[in-house]
Amino acid sequence: MQLGVLGLGRMGRIVVDRTLAAGHDVVAFDLDDDAVAAADDAGATPVDSVAELAAELGDEKRIWLMVPAGEPVDAALADLEPRLDGDDIVVDGGNSHFEDSVRRAEETDAAYLDCGTSGGPAGAELGFSLMVGGPQWAYDELSPVFDAVATGPEGHDRMGPAGSGHYVKMVHNGVEYALMQTYGEGFELLANGRYDLDLESVARTWNNGAVIRSWLLELCEEAFREEGTDADELGDVADHVAGGSTGTWTVQEALEQEVPVPLIYQSLAERFGSRAPESGRFSRRLANRLRYGFGRHEVAREE
Amino acid sequence: MQLGVLGLGRMGRIVVDRTLAAGHDVVAFDLDDDAVAAADDAGATPVDSVAELAAELGDEKRIWLMVPAGEPVDAALADLEPRLDGDDIVVDGGNSHFEDSVRRAEETDAAYLDCGTSGGPAGAELGFSLMVGGPQWAYDELSPVFDAVATGPEGHDRMGPAGSGHYVKMVHNGVEYALMQTYGEGFELLANGRYDLDLESVARTWNNGAVIRSWLLELCEEAFREEGTDADELGDVADHVAGGSTGTWTVQEALEQEVPVPLIYQSLAERFGSRAPESGRFSRRLANRLRYGFGRHEVAREE
Amino acid sequence: MQLGVLGLGRMGRIVVDRTLAAGHDVVAFDLDDDAVAAADDAGATPVDSVAELAAELGDEKRIWLMVPAGEPVDAALADLEPRLDGDDIVVDGGNSHFEDSVRRAEETDAAYLDCGTSGGPAGAELGFSLMVGGPQWAYDELSPVFDAVATGPEGHDRMGPAGSGHYVKMVHNGVEYALMQTYGEGFELLANGRYDLDLESVARTWNNGAVIRSWLLELCEEAFREEGTDADELGDVADHVAGGSTGTWTVQEALEQEVPVPLIYQSLAERFGSRAPESGRFSRRLANRLRYGFGRHEVAREE
Amino acid sequence: MQLGVLGLGRMGRIVVDRTLAAGHDVVAFDLDDDAVAAADDAGATPVDSVAELAAELGDEKRIWLMVPAGEPVDAALADLEPRLDGDDIVVDGGNSHFEDSVRRAEETDAAYLDCGTSGGPAGAELGFSLMVGGPQWAYDELSPVFDAVATGPEGHDRMGPAGSGHYVKMVHNGVEYALMQTYGEGFELLANGRYDLDLESVARTWNNGAVIRSWLLELCEEAFREEGTDADELGDVADHVAGGSTGTWTVQEALEQEVPVPLIYQSLAERFGSRAPESGRFSRRLANRLRYGFGRHEVAREE
C-alpha cells in the first residue's frame, strides 16, 4: 500500500518509519524541508507540496495527517480538498476535538477517519494504540497501515462513526490525567510519611506483580531513577503541570452528559492550581482572612 | 446564680462579662494574674487558685472551663476533682474532642456538660451559639447562665448525652471550613474572570437579599473593605490557611461512620495544600515529570 | 416612574407589586390573560400585547423582562425591537447566560441591563438582591425601580458592563449549590452519627449566634420542622436533586478561566449522581466487578 | 530452605505451592483439616497444631503467617510466642495495619517481617509483589522464599524497618481504589456518551499501546467480555462496592501527615455512597428540599 503522510514531526515520523518497516510505500511531506529530507533518507518518497503529494498518490489516495490539532488540520484539509474525491481516504491522527472531526468528515468529499493515537514517542518501537472513527470501508481499507502503525491488529479498532475515534481518545486522556494524579498522591504520601523510603524501589516492586502495575507506574520508576535518589526523589522538577486541553474537553463533555467525573475533574483542577498566580489561590487567601474575621486568628501575610 | 469561670482568655472573658451583665455573680480564675485583675475590675470576684475558687463557690458549684482543648482541660479537672461531688456541675466550653468529653464525664464525680461554643469574639456583643451535651438536670440548672452567654434562649440547647455538644460543634466546624472555601471559590472565579469587579460591592449586594447571604459572607465583605479596593482585593493576605484540627476530626468521624463528605474533605485538603513544602506538591511534580515520560513534553524545573 | 413589566409569573409579579408599593406606575403584560387580570387587580395597567405595552410606555420606555431564560427572552426582544430606540431601557431580570446578554446588548438599539435576581419568592416581602450589568446611565436612571424591587439601595449595584450582572449571578448560583451540599454533608453526618439528635434543634441553635448561620441554614431549620421530627427528619423527601444549568455554566467558565472550583464541581456532580440510571453509577459497578478480577471478592449483583 | 506456612486459604496456598515449586520444603498448618490435607497432597508436610509446626521446624524457624488481618494474627502469634526466640523469623503476609505490625515486632522475640502482598489469586501463576519491612538480616535470610513467592527478585524488596512493608501496602491499596474509580469514570462517560461503543473493544485497544494501559485495565477488558456485550456491558453487576478498610487507613494516615489525597478520598467516598441507606444520601435529600425553600421548586418525593 502507498500512504501519504502530511506532517513529519516526532509522531508523524514514527508513522512513516513503522509504515515503511511493514513494507509499504510512503510519500512524505512537511513544511519543514529538513524533515522531508530526513524522511527521504529513511526510505520515503519526498514531495515539496500538497499538490505534489496528491499527484504522487494518484487515484484512491490514502493520506495520514499528523499535524497539531486545530487550525493546522483545517489548513491542510483546505489545501487537499480540491484534490480529493469519494475514493480517497484521509486520516487525522492528531488530538482533534471530536466535534471538529465530525464537521470535517461532513465537509470533505473523501472518506474521513478520525484516529486517536496514544503511546507517545515510545510508540516508535512498540507501536501505538489507535482509536478510529469513520466509515467501515475506509477503516478496512487502511487496516494494513493501522496494523503497522499500531502494536498490531489488537492495537487498533473502529470505535464507530465519524468523531468516535477522537471521542474515545479524549476520554483516554481524561483518564490519563487522573491516573497520573493518583500515583502522585500515593507517592506524595510516601514521600511525606513515616518511613524514609526509596521510591524507585517502591515503584519497581509494585511494577512486578502488584495490582496497580501499569505503564505509567513504569514511567514513575524511570522518573525516580533518573531524577535523584535521595528522600526527595524528583530533584528540581517543579510543581507546575502544563497542558490540559483534552482533560478540559473530557470534563466539558461529562457536564453535557451529566456524568460525574470528580477524580478526572480534580486532576485537572490540580493542574490549574499548579499554575496559580504568584499571590496564590484566592480562595485560600480568603479563608485565611475569614479565620481572623470570626476568630481573630492571626492572618498569615506575604512578606 | 454564682458561676466560677476558670480561664480568662478572650472567650472566657466574654463569658464573664455576659454572665455579669445578666445579673449573676462570677468568681474568676486564671493562671495569668493580669487577667484575674481585669475580671476583678469588670465586677467579678477574683481568686488566686483553684482551691480558692472551689472554696468561694461552696456547695453546688457551677464552674465554666474556658481553657485550650487537650492537656489544659485535663490539668484543670485534676485540680478540681478532689473538690467536686455529684451536686456540682462543670462546663467545658472549649473545642475538646467529643471522645475526651465522654471520658471526662465518666471520670468526674460532678455532672459534666460539654459545651460547643460558636460565634467567636463577635459573641461579646451578640452572644454565642451553645451546643450542650450531658445530664438534663445539669443543663436545666445552668440555663440562666446559658441564656446570658448565648444569644438568648434560642441560642443554646441540649443536644443529648455526654459528648454530644462537642460532637455537634465538631461537625459545625467541618461545615465552616467548607463554607469558607466555597465562598473562596466563588470569589476566586470572579477575581480571575471576565470582568473587573469590585468584590466588596458584590459581597454587599449578595448580603442584601441573595440566597447565599450569611454571616461568613458579611465577613467576606468586611475583609474586602479592610484589605484593599483594587482588582486583587485581599492585599498581602497570604495563601496559607492555618488550623485544621476540628475539620480533621470531622473527616475522621465521617470515615468511621462511612458518610461521604467530599466538600468538607476538600476544604481541609486545601489547607494542607496551602502549607505544602517549598518544593510544592509532590503529586503535581510527578505528574509534570510523567508528561515527559510518555510525551516528551518539556519538564518545568525549579530555578 | 413608569415601568413596563413583561412576564407576570411568580417573580414578575413580585416586581410588579414591589414597584407599585413604592409609588411607581406599572404597565403589565403576559401571554396568560389571567396573570394580566391579576396584575390589573393589584393596581397595574393591563395591556394585551407587546405593541400595546410599547404604545402605553411612550418615549423613554423602561421595560423589565421577567421571562424564562433562553428562547423566551429572544422572542420578547424580537417583538420589542421595532419599537425601541437609544432612549429606551430594557432590563432582563431572568437567569440568562451572560454571553447571551452580551449578544443581546449588542443587538438591541435600547440600553440593555442584564440583572441577576436572587432571593426567590421570599423576595416578595424582603426584596431581592440585584446584580446589574450595562450602561451606567441606564442603571442610574432605573435606580428608583431597583430600590423598590431590591431590599433597598444596598440590595443592588452595577457590577460592570454588559453581561456582568448575569455573570455575577451565575457564580452566585454555583456558590449556592456548594453551600447547600455543605450543609447537607454536615447534617448527613449528624443523621448517621453517634448521637440521636434533633436536627431542627441543631439548626436553630446554629442559626442563633454560630459562625455558620445563614439564610440557607434557616431554610434547613424550616425543612426539618416541616418535614418530620423523627431521626430521619426529612420524611419522604427523595434523593433526587433537579436543576443544574447555572452551576454547569459556573464550572464551564471556571474551566475556561483555569480556576479550580472543586467544591462547586462536586456539588454539581452530586446532583448528576442523584439522577443516575436505575442500574446505578457505572463507575462503581465497574469497581465492584474489578474487586473480583484481582481479589476474587464476591460481586454484588442486582436481583 | 524449610518454611512453615500458617494459614492455608487461597493466598496461603499460593505461598505453599510457589515455595514448593522452587524446591523448598514446606510445613503446613491450618485450623481447617481439609486445607492441611490438600497441602499434603501438594507436597507439603502436614501438621496438626502450632506446637507440631514449631517442633517440625526445629531451630531457626521461618514461619509465614497468611491469616486474616486483626485478631487472627494476634491469636497465631500468641500460640507461637512460647516457641520463638531471636533466631526465628516470622513473616506476616496479610493486610495488617502497619501500627499493629510495629507493635507485634516489638512484642515478639523473633525477627518480625511485615510483608505487604499484592497481586491477588492471579499471583498463583505470575507471583506476587512483596513489600517487606523489618530487620535486614531476616529479609536477606528469607530472600530465597521471597524470590519464589514473588514474581522473582524484582518483585520484592525491603522497604525499611518494622511496619514499612504494611505501610507501603496500605498506600498501594489507596492508589488501587482511585485507579479503579478513575477507569470507572472514563467508562461511565463512554457508556453514557454520544456514541454506541463496544467497551470491551475500547479496553482492548487501550491495552495495546495506550498510555493508560495497565493490569487493572486488562481486568476491565475481561469484565466487559465476561459480563455482557450490549450497550450496558456490565450485565447485572450492582452499584455496591464492598470493602474499604485499607483505603480508610490511607486517608487517615494522610490526615495525620497533612497530605492532600482528594482522588483517593473521593474513591473511598464513592464506596460509602454506593452503600447509602435505602432513603438515599441525606445531603442530597436536603439540597432537594432547600431548592423548594428558596425557589419553590417542586420537591421530588419517594413514592
Side-chain angles (χ1 to χ4, degrees):
Chain A
M1 179 173 291
Q2 189 189 38
L3 181 73
V5 177
L6 201 164
L8 301 172
R10 189 185 288 127
M11 295 290 281
R13 181 56 194 274
I14 298 173
V15 170
V16 168
D17 291 347
R18 291 187 64 89
T19 304
L20 287 170
H24 303 292
D25 296 325
V26 171
V27 183
F29 175 67
D30 195 286
L31 295 172
D32 174 0
D33 293 342
D34 292 346
V36 175
D40 186 2
D41 291 346
T45 302
V47 292
D48 284 345
S49 65
V50 167
E52 196 181 341
L53 179 85
E56 185 74 29
L57 292 172
D59 289 342
E60 303 194 355
K61 303 179 215 9
R62 278 83 185 92
I63 301 174
W64 189 299
L65 303 183
M66 210 66 170
V67 300
E71 195 53 43
V73 178
D74 284 314
L77 286 172
D79 277 356
L80 282 171
E81 197 52 39
R83 301 168 176 94
L84 297 176
D85 65 31
D87 294 328
D88 298 323
I89 304 174
V90 175
V91 179
D92 173 11
N95 256 335
S96 299
H97 193 284
F98 71 94
E99 289 180 321
D100 286 331
S101 297
V102 170
R103 170 179 57 77
R104 288 164 186 154
E106 286 168 357
E107 289 173 358
T108 184
D109 288 329
Y112 195 79
L113 296 174
D114 53 288
C115 174
T117 304
S118 181
E125 282 183 42
L126 184 73
F128 294 120
S129 167
L130 302 176
M131 303 140 246
V132 187
Q136 182 73 50
W137 77 265
Y139 171 75
D140 292 342
E141 172 69 19
L142 267 187
S143 283
V145 167
F146 291 143
D147 287 349
V149 175
T151 59
E154 298 281 282
H156 62 92
D157 207 352
R158 179 177 175 267
M159 302 288 112
S164 62
H166 283 144
Y167 192 83
V168 172
K169 177 54 162 52
M170 171 188 77
V171 175
H172 167 281
N173 283 26
V175 168
E176 176 190 289
Y177 287 28
L179 297 182
M180 284 195 282
Q181 189 61 29
T182 293
Y183 286 118
E185 287 187 1
F187 284 111
E188 181 165 338
L189 180 50
L190 292 178
N192 292 278
R194 304 198 187 203
Y195 294 93
D196 181 19
L197 299 163
D198 176 345
L199 296 188
E200 183 193 342
S201 160
V202 171
R204 184 177 52 244
T205 305
W206 284 350
N207 274 323
N208 286 276
V211 170
I212 65 172
R213 65 187 182 269
S214 70
W215 189 51
L216 280 167
L217 187 57
E218 291 172 32
L219 296 178
C220 292
E221 185 183 337
E222 176 186 279
F224 296 135
R225 184 168 55 245
E226 295 180 355
E227 295 292 340
T229 57
D230 51 5
D232 177 354
E233 307 192 48
L234 282 175
D236 62 353
V237 174
D239 179 353
H240 183 97
V241 194
S245 58
T246 49
T248 296
W249 298 345
T250 305
V251 175
Q252 285 170 332
E253 173 65 3
L255 290 172
E256 292 261 341
Q257 303 298 334
E258 303 202 345
V259 170
V261 290
L263 279 72
I264 293 173
Y265 176 79
Q266 182 61 26
S267 62
L268 183 61
E270 295 286 359
R271 294 193 179 198
F272 296 157
S274 80
R275 283 132 55 173
E278 195 152 345
S279 58
R281 294 274 311 282
F282 194 85
S283 56
R284 308 196 299 209
R285 297 170 65 209
L286 182 56
N288 171 11
R289 183 51 170 72
L290 288 175
R291 294 182 73 247
Y292 170 81
F294 63 75
R296 295 295 177 257
H297 300 287
E298 194 184 355
V299 179
R301 294 187 180 273
E302 291 296 321
E303 287 155 30
Chain B
M1 179 173 293
Q2 189 189 37
L3 181 73
V5 177
L6 200 162
L8 301 172
R10 188 184 288 127
M11 295 290 281
R13 181 56 196 274
I14 298 172
V15 171
V16 168
D17 291 348
R18 292 188 63 90
T19 304
L20 288 170
H24 304 292
D25 296 325
V26 171
V27 183
F29 175 66
D30 195 289
L31 294 172
D32 174 0
D33 292 343
D34 291 346
V36 176
D40 185 2
D41 290 346
T45 303
V47 292
D48 283 346
S49 66
V50 167
E52 198 181 339
L53 179 85
E56 186 73 32
L57 292 171
D59 289 343
E60 303 194 355
K61 303 180 219 1
R62 279 81 185 94
I63 301 174
W64 189 299
L65 302 182
M66 210 66 169
V67 300
E71 195 53 43
V73 179
D74 284 314
L77 287 172
D79 277 357
L80 281 171
E81 196 52 39
R83 300 166 177 94
L84 297 176
D85 65 30
D87 294 330
D88 299 324
I89 303 174
V90 176
V91 179
D92 173 13
N95 256 336
S96 299
H97 193 283
F98 71 94
E99 289 181 320
D100 287 331
S101 296
V102 171
R103 170 179 58 77
R104 288 164 186 154
E106 286 168 357
E107 288 174 358
T108 185
D109 288 330
Y112 195 81
L113 296 174
D114 53 286
C115 174
T117 304
S118 180
E125 282 183 42
L126 184 74
F128 294 121
S129 167
L130 302 175
M131 303 139 246
V132 187
Q136 182 74 49
W137 77 264
Y139 172 75
D140 292 341
E141 173 68 20
L142 267 186
S143 282
V145 168
F146 291 143
D147 287 349
V149 175
T151 58
E154 299 279 282
H156 62 92
D157 207 352
R158 178 177 176 267
M159 302 289 112
S164 62
H166 283 144
Y167 191 84
V168 172
K169 177 54 161 51
M170 171 188 78
V171 175
H172 167 281
N173 283 25
V175 168
E176 175 189 290
Y177 287 27
L179 297 182
M180 283 196 282
Q181 188 62 30
T182 294
Y183 286 118
E185 288 186 0
F187 285 112
E188 181 165 339
L189 180 50
L190 292 178
N192 292 277
R194 304 199 188 202
Y195 294 92
D196 180 19
L197 299 162
D198 175 345
L199 297 188
E200 183 194 342
S201 160
V202 171
R204 182 177 53 243
T205 305
W206 284 350
N207 274 322
N208 286 277
V211 170
I212 64 173
R213 65 187 183 269
S214 70
W215 190 50
L216 280 167
L217 187 56
E218 292 173 31
L219 297 177
C220 293
E221 186 183 336
E222 178 186 279
F224 297 134
R225 184 169 55 246
E226 294 180 356
E227 295 292 341
T229 57
D230 50 6
D232 176 354
E233 306 191 47
L234 281 175
D236 62 354
V237 173
D239 178 353
H240 183 99
V241 193
S245 58
T246 48
T248 296
W249 299 344
T250 304
V251 175
Q252 285 169 333
E253 173 65 4
L255 290 172
E256 293 261 340
Q257 304 299 335
E258 305 202 344
V259 171
V261 290
L263 278 72
I264 294 174
Y265 176 79
Q266 181 62 26
S267 62
L268 183 62
E270 295 285 358
R271 293 192 180 199
F272 296 158
S274 80
R275 283 131 58 172
E278 195 151 346
S279 58
R281 295 274 310 282
F282 195 84
S283 55
R284 305 194 303 208
R285 296 171 66 210
L286 183 56
N288 172 9
R289 183 51 169 72
L290 288 175
R291 294 182 74 247
Y292 170 81
F294 63 75
R296 294 294 177 257
H297 300 287
E298 194 184 355
V299 179
R301 294 186 180 273
E302 291 296 320
E303 287 156 30
Chain C
M1 179 173 291
Q2 188 188 38
L3 181 73
V5 177
L6 201 163
L8 301 171
R10 189 184 289 126
M11 295 290 281
R13 182 55 195 275
I14 298 173
V15 171
V16 168
D17 291 349
R18 292 187 63 89
T19 304
L20 287 170
H24 302 293
D25 297 324
V26 170
V27 183
F29 175 66
D30 195 288
L31 295 173
D32 174 1
D33 292 342
D34 291 347
V36 176
D40 185 1
D41 290 347
T45 302
V47 292
D48 284 345
S49 65
V50 168
E52 197 181 340
L53 179 84
E56 185 73 32
L57 292 172
D59 288 341
E60 303 194 355
K61 304 179 212 14
R62 280 82 184 93
I63 301 173
W64 189 299
L65 303 183
M66 210 66 170
V67 300
E71 195 53 44
V73 179
D74 284 315
L77 287 172
D79 278 357
L80 282 170
E81 196 52 40
R83 302 168 176 94
L84 297 176
D85 65 32
D87 294 329
D88 299 323
I89 304 174
V90 175
V91 179
D92 174 11
N95 257 334
S96 299
H97 192 285
F98 71 94
E99 289 180 320
D100 287 332
S101 296
V102 170
R103 171 179 58 78
R104 288 165 186 153
E106 286 169 355
E107 290 174 356
T108 185
D109 288 329
Y112 195 79
L113 296 174
D114 52 288
C115 173
T117 304
S118 180
E125 282 182 44
L126 183 73
F128 294 120
S129 168
L130 303 176
M131 302 139 246
V132 187
Q136 181 74 48
W137 77 265
Y139 171 75
D140 291 341
E141 172 69 19
L142 268 186
S143 283
V145 167
F146 291 143
D147 286 349
V149 175
T151 58
E154 298 281 281
H156 63 90
D157 207 352
R158 178 176 175 269
M159 302 288 113
S164 62
H166 284 143
Y167 191 83
V168 172
K169 177 54 162 51
M170 171 188 77
V171 175
H172 167 282
N173 283 25
V175 168
E176 176 189 290
Y177 287 28
L179 297 181
M180 284 196 282
Q181 189 61 29
T182 294
Y183 286 118
E185 286 186 2
F187 284 112
E188 181 165 338
L189 180 50
L190 292 178
N192 293 277
R194 304 199 188 201
Y195 294 93
D196 181 19
L197 300 163
D198 176 345
L199 297 188
E200 183 194 342
S201 161
V202 171
R204 184 177 51 244
T205 305
W206 285 349
N207 274 322
N208 286 277
V211 170
I212 65 173
R213 65 188 183 269
S214 70
W215 190 50
L216 279 167
L217 188 56
E218 291 173 33
L219 296 177
C220 293
E221 185 183 338
E222 177 187 279
F224 296 135
R225 184 168 57 244
E226 294 180 355
E227 294 293 340
T229 57
D230 50 6
D232 177 353
E233 306 192 50
L234 281 174
D236 62 353
V237 174
D239 178 354
H240 183 98
V241 193
S245 58
T246 48
T248 296
W249 298 345
T250 306
V251 175
Q252 286 170 331
E253 173 65 3
L255 290 172
E256 292 260 342
Q257 303 299 334
E258 304 202 345
V259 170
V261 290
L263 278 72
I264 294 174
Y265 176 79
Q266 181 62 26
S267 62
L268 182 62
E270 295 286 0
R271 293 194 178 197
F272 296 157
S274 80
R275 283 133 55 173
E278 194 151 347
S279 58
R281 294 274 310 284
F282 195 83
S283 56
R284 308 195 301 209
R285 296 171 66 210
L286 182 56
N288 172 10
R289 182 53 169 70
L290 289 175
R291 294 183 75 248
Y292 170 81
F294 63 75
R296 295 294 177 259
H297 300 288
E298 194 183 355
V299 179
R301 293 186 180 275
E302 291 296 320
E303 287 155 31
Chain D
M1 180 172 290
Q2 188 188 39
L3 181 74
V5 177
L6 201 163
L8 302 171
R10 188 184 289 126
M11 295 291 280
R13 181 55 195 275
I14 298 173
V15 171
V16 169
D17 291 348
R18 292 187 63 89
T19 304
L20 287 170
H24 303 293
D25 296 325
V26 170
V27 183
F29 176 65
D30 194 289
L31 295 171
D32 175 359
D33 292 344
D34 291 346
V36 176
D40 185 2
D41 291 347
T45 303
V47 291
D48 283 347
S49 66
V50 167
E52 197 181 339
L53 180 84
E56 186 72 32
L57 292 172
D59 289 342
E60 304 194 353
K61 302 180 220 0
R62 279 82 184 93
I63 301 174
W64 189 299
L65 302 183
M66 210 66 170
V67 299
E71 196 52 45
V73 178
D74 284 314
L77 287 172
D79 278 357
L80 282 171
E81 195 51 40
R83 300 167 177 94
L84 296 176
D85 66 29
D87 295 328
D88 300 323
I89 303 173
V90 176
V91 179
D92 174 11
N95 256 335
S96 299
H97 193 284
F98 71 94
E99 289 180 319
D100 287 332
S101 296
V102 170
R103 171 180 57 77
R104 288 164 186 153
E106 286 169 356
E107 288 173 357
T108 185
D109 289 329
Y112 195 80
L113 296 174
D114 53 287
C115 174
T117 304
S118 181
E125 282 183 42
L126 183 73
F128 293 121
S129 167
L130 301 176
M131 303 139 246
V132 187
Q136 182 74 50
W137 77 264
Y139 171 75
D140 291 341
E141 172 69 20
L142 268 186
S143 282
V145 167
F146 290 143
D147 286 349
V149 174
T151 58
E154 298 280 283
H156 63 92
D157 207 351
R158 179 178 176 266
M159 303 288 113
S164 63
H166 283 144
Y167 191 84
V168 172
K169 177 54 161 52
M170 171 188 77
V171 175
H172 167 282
N173 283 25
V175 169
E176 175 190 291
Y177 287 29
L179 297 182
M180 283 196 283
Q181 189 61 30
T182 294
Y183 286 118
E185 287 186 1
F187 284 112
E188 181 165 339
L189 180 50
L190 292 178
N192 293 277
R194 303 199 188 201
Y195 293 93
D196 181 20
L197 299 163
D198 176 345
L199 296 187
E200 183 194 342
S201 160
V202 171
R204 183 177 52 244
T205 305
W206 284 350
N207 274 320
N208 286 276
V211 170
I212 66 172
R213 64 188 183 269
S214 68
W215 191 50
L216 280 167
L217 187 57
E218 292 173 30
L219 296 177
C220 292
E221 185 183 337
E222 177 187 279
F224 296 135
R225 183 167 58 245
E226 294 180 356
E227 295 292 341
T229 56
D230 49 5
D232 176 353
E233 306 191 49
L234 281 174
D236 63 354
V237 173
D239 178 353
H240 184 98
V241 193
S245 58
T246 48
T248 296
W249 299 344
T250 305
V251 175
Q252 286 170 332
E253 173 64 3
L255 290 172
E256 292 262 340
Q257 303 299 334
E258 305 202 342
V259 171
V261 289
L263 278 71
I264 294 174
Y265 176 80
Q266 182 62 26
S267 62
L268 183 61
E270 295 285 359
R271 293 193 179 198
F272 296 158
S274 79
R275 282 130 59 172
E278 194 151 348
S279 59
R281 294 275 310 283
F282 195 83
S283 55
R284 307 194 302 208
R285 296 172 64 211
L286 183 56
N288 172 10
R289 182 52 168 72
L290 288 175
R291 294 182 75 247
Y292 170 81
F294 63 75
R296 293 295 177 257
H297 300 287
E298 194 184 354
V299 180
R301 294 186 180 275
E302 292 295 321
E303 286 154 32

